[in-house]
Amino acid sequence: MPTAPHPQSTAELYQALQENDRRPYGRTRTVTAEELVDAAEQFAEPVPLVHALLELQEAYTYGSEPRKSPVVFARLLTLFDEQPDVFDERLRHMLFWRFKWVGHALRQLPEIPLASLRQWSTEMRDRYEKAGLGLQPYYGQAYQLAAHVGEDTALAYELWAGRTRTRLSDCEACEICERARYHLAAGDDERALRTWEPVLAGKESCQEEPARSISYALLPLLRTGRTDRARELHLAGYRGCRRNPSMSGEVGRHLEFCALTGNEARGLELLAENRSLFDDVDSPLDLLSFLTGVEVLLQRVELLGHGELPAAGYAGRTWTVAGLRAEVRGRADDLAARFDARNGTTAHTDLRRARLDRAPLLDALELTLRTRGLDDVAPVAPAAAPAPRTAAAVPESLPELIVRARELDEQGHPDAAACWARLRTLVAAPDYTHPDDPAVGPLVRLRADLLADEASRAGEKDGFDEAAARYEEAASRYDEAGAPGHAALARACALLPTGEIPAERADGAEAQAAALTAAHAALVRLHEETPGLAPYQEARLLRLRATALGLRLQTSRNEEHVAPVFAEVDLLLDFATRHDIAGQVSGALMLRASTYALSGDLPAAVTEVDALLDRLKAHGPAWHLPRTLGLRGRIQFGLKDAQAAHADLTESLRLAADWPADRVDTARLHGDLAEACMHLGRPDEALRHLTRSAELELRHGSRTDAFCTYSNAARLTLDLGRVEDCIALLDSLLAEPDVAAGELDDRLVAQLRLTRARALNAGEDLKAATAEFAALAAESAGWDDDPGSHAMIAAETAVLLAESGEFGRAREAADQALAAHARAPRYEQLSNCLRELARLQAQQQGSEGLADALALLADAGRIADAARAAGYEARGRSLDSALAYEHGRVNAYAREYETALAALEKALALLGEPGPDEDRAGEWAECVRLAAAVEGIYLERPAPALTRLDAAVSRLTALGHTEETEPLTSLAARLRDEG
């Protein structure tokens, strides 16, 4: 089926060729190129056909279809031989350049005899000599053929590398890569890396570079101890080759790098991202390199005992690591044997064996902000990390295990979780037999216990509906088992999450407060109507009553709700003290301290927490210490003492290491410590705590919380300028199965994508950033409940489109932003956007773009007027002075210099002269500089311009703003020199 309308004229054909040239390499571009060749053949003149064939050969070459590239080139060569005058200098250059493409394509096909490869080299030499062209490119091809075959390359290398480059030589970046690989093959890592440096540093690049060189340089960098550089280049280089069939070999080398640095889990993640390469790579040589890298990874995973893990492989079936490794090994062995048979050597088998036999170079290298092991990608729940404290052994005897679990649960002991987990596994087994023991009770009682534990865990993850339902089911089972006290407690536990459901459904604080009031009343009634409760059960019920009112206060922040909390806490504390229930005494004191904090009495809260800490250290329970220290750390935040908060939270984390992370809320402690680090100006330390917090939340099933935390970590990473780290983190998150399946909150996913788009822009990948922004703008247009976010996204999209020169689309995006702004004002963001669009259009189009640029500034003026009427104050520059300055700059770009100068004079008047403490000195100085440049250079009035500059320099110097004077003194010196 045609992908586009058939061009009816050569003009339409050339337009279609230009549009196709902007597409990424792949099937869509290739199929379109094939159709355009068919279209070009209908025209009598041959030039359009030559252009179409050149586009098609490029699509085949970079779309990894080497079998078809030589066929197209043969047609071009025939046209050249028959009608040489059709080829102007540019087309002739392209034709002779692509002799090398054909040589490269033929080497990739083991079915092409070696004699044919040598014959093609001879053809290239003869053609170059006949055309009077230098032979350095031919000798480059001869060297590459020798290296491919496995011959002695020393002479071939000297004949190529010792010659002077010509216009038809490979680009500097590609030749650097070939020279470096020669030294690498000779075992000289240091010389190879020195040779590669201009490419690795970004000074030389092309279509394939630096991604190709990076993939080869990763292991030499490790072997020479440059681990940080290897990590940095892996992140940047992988992004340059992923999912690209023509760079599948490079992808394979990145997988190998992961396998040899203890990053097997990341390797499997990258393999899944590149699953399409198993079927999309048509080049046997590229496929051999890719499959060998895949096998290195799978071999390592299997060696570590994870052969049964799922792995992404050939389409049409599911694979385990072991199964895919066997399949890959067979296919890669066959390809290597075919190349060696063609070449008459064992070079490819030997190279493959060397890669597979390579031992890991590092036990562990932290490549990304998500440090994950193979246990984290296992289909079963990961084992808990070992802790310094030795947890009590889980009893082997089933009756003892049940009794022990209940005892620990009564105490609120963290080790109860391991007992319940073990019991859950045993009871689920088909051959489970419940013990006939009065101390244990019937099976239905045990099933009720397990349901209550599941409900508790659901509540901890804010799964309030699930928690309430499971508690109700547990209550019914307890009734059936003849345990009325347990049934009452389960029903009481169900009431609390029921009261929190309105918050989960965003019904507002008032609705939640009312629901919690009702829940508390129901708890009181249940308590009064349930006689015969055991002391620990009654204490728990009192704790639930106090907690319900504490949550109500936290929701409402109503002073009238403070006293009822203290009253309930006093009831709990008195009861727990009389019955010596240490955990509930501690819980009551914690609630009291929290209530003081919520009511704003932070000194009293600190006093309460300090007393509680003394009690816990003396009498326990020890597992309450981490949470209590965490509370004190948060109170210190309220007291503006970030250093004390950091100290408390650090100690809290140290103590938390003794207990299961989900039992003492270690994830929250890491999050709070990240906040403390930010207050102390330690963002790198904060980032470590944020990512640790997020991964703990992910492991414990709190996926929404985890992705929110990761979103914060990504934004911080971008703020720190760690662009590649940010992109790698977000790529990993966006590849998670529930994200890809659309199961995670769409706004949260959009936030992750938005941060990624900004990171791509910061990393100067304008094309990818623009595509992501445009997609987000289209999606956010449907966010009727959040037009402000759409306005912001559409505004950023408009600026990126303008930077790409697509001013029509940029104006459309800006109009979308303005429409959303009308519903939810974003004065500053929209003003900034419109001014920047105007600047870009005037800068790129000059006087031709002036009318459109002024229309954009008129829109910005209306926004400034509306902001002033609404009493809005910009956080950054004044909207009015910034607008006047932009009028000056836009008119200057359009060579309307008198108008520009008048606008800049207005901007200066709006700004007023700077004072000693003002932070607007830089803005004022820039406005003076541009006004002087317009006046002195373009209007050729240097005298008043110098007077302006000298006065400004004197003013700024007197105020101590010496840095701001430098561009002014530089311009003044230029004007004096030219005068």
Side-chain angles (χ1 to χ4, degrees), residues 8-20:
Q8 298 301 307
S9 66
T10 55
E12 289 183 5
L13 176 70
Y14 286 130
Q15 178 65 30
L17 286 169
Q18 288 178 359
E19 291 174 358
N20 200 39

Side-chain angles (χ1 to χ4, degrees), residues 81-292:
D81 290 339
E82 293 175 350
Q83 304 178 67
D85 293 342
V86 167
F87 289 75
D88 60 18
E89 183 59 31
R90 176 175 169 274
L91 293 178
R92 183 174 176 273
H93 178 85
M94 293 176 70
L95 181 81
F96 279 94
W97 181 279
R98 294 187 181 194
F99 271 90
K100 299 176 293 181
W101 285 13
V102 175
H104 176 71
L106 295 176
R107 288 195 299 273
Q108 294 183 77
L109 305 173
E111 63 267 28
I112 304 297
L114 183 60
S116 298
L117 268 66
R118 298 195 190 282
Q119 183 180 347
W120 178 254
S121 291
T122 301
E123 173 81 4
M124 178 180 174
R125 177 173 184 148
D126 292 346
R127 292 270 189 173
Y128 270 52
E129 286 181 330
K130 183 179 179 181
L133 300 171
L135 292 181
Q136 195 262 10
Y138 156 75
Y139 282 109
Q141 288 291 298
Y143 162 69
Q144 290 177 37
L145 179 57
H148 168 81
V149 169
E151 299 171 340
D152 184 359
T153 57
L155 178 59
Y157 178 79
E158 290 303 325
L159 287 171
W160 160 60
R163 290 179 179 267
T164 303
R165 286 172 47 78
T166 74
R167 290 179 61 245
L168 289 167
S169 297
D170 284 342
C171 75
E172 287 278 9
C174 287
E175 288 205 344
I176 285 171
C177 184
E178 289 299 335
R179 290 197 295 272
R181 288 181 63 196
Y182 174 77
H183 299 311
L184 191 62
D188 193 341
D189 285 347
E190 288 288 357
R191 188 171 181 185
L193 291 171
R194 285 197 303 274
T195 303
W196 257 318
E197 186 52 34
V199 175
L200 300 184
K203 297 176 182 176
E204 299 288 346
S205 63
C206 69
Q207 178 73 33
E208 297 172 324
E209 296 291 353
R212 182 166 173 251
S213 289
I214 286 172
S215 72
Y216 283 107
L218 292 173
L219 299 188
L221 285 167
L222 291 181
R223 288 193 293 262
T224 56
R226 300 172 172 90
T227 54
D228 288 342
R229 184 77 165 131
R231 175 189 180 277
E232 171 193 336
L233 289 174
H234 162 69
L235 295 179
Y238 170 71
R239 188 162 57 84
C241 63
R242 63 179 185 164
R243 297 196 296 266
N244 185 343
S246 69
M247 303 199 82
S248 56
E250 284 74 7
V251 173
R253 286 186 283 279
H254 281 279
L255 297 179
E256 180 178 0
F257 175 76
C258 290
L260 300 180
T261 57
N263 286 278
E264 299 83 6
R266 174 167 169 80
L268 291 177
E269 184 179 290
L270 301 191
L271 178 60
E273 187 178 12
N274 291 277
R275 184 174 193 166
S276 61
L277 297 185
F278 284 105
D279 300 307
D280 289 352
V281 179
D282 193 48
S283 161
L285 190 60
D286 288 347
L287 186 60
L288 171 59
S289 182
F290 171 66
L291 292 179
T292 301

Side-chain angles (χ1 to χ4, degrees), residues 40 189 204 452 499 551 580 667 711 754 822 913:
D189 285 347
E204 299 288 346
L551 288 170
D580 195 23
S711 179
L754 180 61
E913 289 199 358

